């Protein structure tokens, strides 16, 4: 399979890297349930789905910090660290009870894999929860490489985890398309120098997608295979 960029004498696309939350998986309900379990233990009021949706995208520590800020204030750093540890224990015990794949994800991943593309996941979610979630939703086997928010010293929007993922996949940035849902995905992929950056029309972006330096907004996840001529 070749990418349309071949007509411009660019390297053929050999890999597709994906964000997880908001791109492959709608996971916000499980993040809300874990957040509210933590808040209940702290004697704080719960947060709703819309609030948690606006909090995700920067990894578990930032999510917990934002949840705490919205329900009475952020405590001392050592207490925040304890809350993050407790949140992860709650969430990682069952990260998929209320999570679902977005429409077209399973089928499209299959088409891409059958076309010979190498697929990977680059997420700010911790690795333990990431691997469990991918397995529970039946798509773990599609990805020969996965990196999480604790795989490298920095997270997206840093390019470090994207470049680390591509190294594990054995491909160059110029041979890769990155698919995400928000501003951090676009910034990280651009900084990593990938060939194309595409975004899905749903997800957890906190800024308008039209204002981001991507290469196109997919009509839906299934459109990705058409964009790559699979």
């Amino acid at each position: 399979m070749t990418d349309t960029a071949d007509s411009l004498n660019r390297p053929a696309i050999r890999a597709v890297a994906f964000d997880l939350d908001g791109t492959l998986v709608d996971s916000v309900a499980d993040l809300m349930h874990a957040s509210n379990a933590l808040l209940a233990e702290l004697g704080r009021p719960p947060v709703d789905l819309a609030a948690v949706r606006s909090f995700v995208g920067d990894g578990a520590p930032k999510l917990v910090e934002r949840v705490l800020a919205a329900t009475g204030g952020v405590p001392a750093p050592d207490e925040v660290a304890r809350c993050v540890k407790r949140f992860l224990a709650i969430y990682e015990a069952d990260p998929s009870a209320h999570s679902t794949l977005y429409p077209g994800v399973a089928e499209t991943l299959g088409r891409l894999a059958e076309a010979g593309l190498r697929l990977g996941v680059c997420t700010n979610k911790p690795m333990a929860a990431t691997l469990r979630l991918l397995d529970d939703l039946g798509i773990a086997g599609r990805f020969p490489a996965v990196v999480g928010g604790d795989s490298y010293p920095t997270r997206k929007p840093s390019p470090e985890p994207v470049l680390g993922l591509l190294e594990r996949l054995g491909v160059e940035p110029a041979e890769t398309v990155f698919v995400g849902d928000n501003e951090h995905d676009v910034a990280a992929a651009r900084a990593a120098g990938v060939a194309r950056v595409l975004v899905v029309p749903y997800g957890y972006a906190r800024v308008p997608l039209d204002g981001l330096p991507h290469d196109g907004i997919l009509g839906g996840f299934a459109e990705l295979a058409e964009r790559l001529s699979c």
Side-chain angles (χ1 to χ4, degrees):
M1 190 210 75
T2 59
D3 183 73
T4 56
D6 287 340
S7 62
L8 300 178
N9 296 317
R10 295 174 185 170
I13 296 301
R14 296 179 55 218
V16 186
F18 298 93
D19 171 54
L20 181 61
D21 299 298
T23 300
L24 299 175
V25 179
D26 187 357
S27 57
V28 72
D30 279 304
L31 293 169
M32 180 190 71
H33 282 283
S35 297
N36 286 337
L38 170 66
L39 292 170
E41 292 180 1
L42 298 174
R44 295 191 179 202
V47 288
D48 62 21
L49 203 63
V52 176
R53 186 179 298 274
S54 73
F55 296 157
V56 301
D58 296 295
K62 271 295 182 184
L63 170 61
V64 172
E65 183 180 312
R66 289 165 179 159
V67 165
L68 293 173
T71 57
V74 180
D78 59 341
E79 178 63 11
V80 172
R82 189 194 72 78
C83 289
V84 171
K85 184 176 181 179
R86 179 58 184 147
F87 170 83
L88 288 174
I90 296 168
Y91 181 63
E92 290 174 355
D94 189 4
S96 60
H98 306 280
S99 295
T100 59
L101 296 177
Y102 285 108
V105 166
E107 299 83 359
T108 302
L109 293 177
R111 287 182 64 182
L112 299 179
E114 288 168 7
L117 289 166
R118 293 183 62 75
L119 309 180
V121 170
C122 180
T123 175
N124 282 345
K125 184 191 293 293
M127 274 295 283
T130 295
L131 296 176
R132 169 74 185 273
L133 185 59
L134 291 172
D135 189 55
D136 286 353
L137 295 180
I139 58 172
R142 293 298 185 192
F143 303 106
V146 176
V147 300
D150 48 1
S151 297
Y152 297 96
T154 59
R155 303 182 179 94
K156 296 178 297 183
S158 165
E160 183 179 29
V162 178
L163 293 171
L165 175 68
L166 301 190
E167 183 178 2
R168 297 183 189 201
L169 286 173
V171 298
E172 296 296 324
E175 302 171 316
T176 304
V177 171
F178 193 100
V179 182
D181 73 299
N182 66 34
E183 60 276 14
H184 289 340
D185 295 322
V186 175
R190 278 286 178 241
V194 302
R196 294 166 67 188
V197 183
L198 301 174
V199 292
V200 294
Y202 46 82
Y204 312 143
R206 290 187 288 271
V207 301
L209 295 178
D210 287 340
L212 299 176
H214 52 65
D215 296 303
I217 301 174
L218 299 171
F221 197 88
E223 188 179 300
L224 177 60
E226 299 170 16
R227 291 283 187 107
L228 299 178
S229 303
C230 292

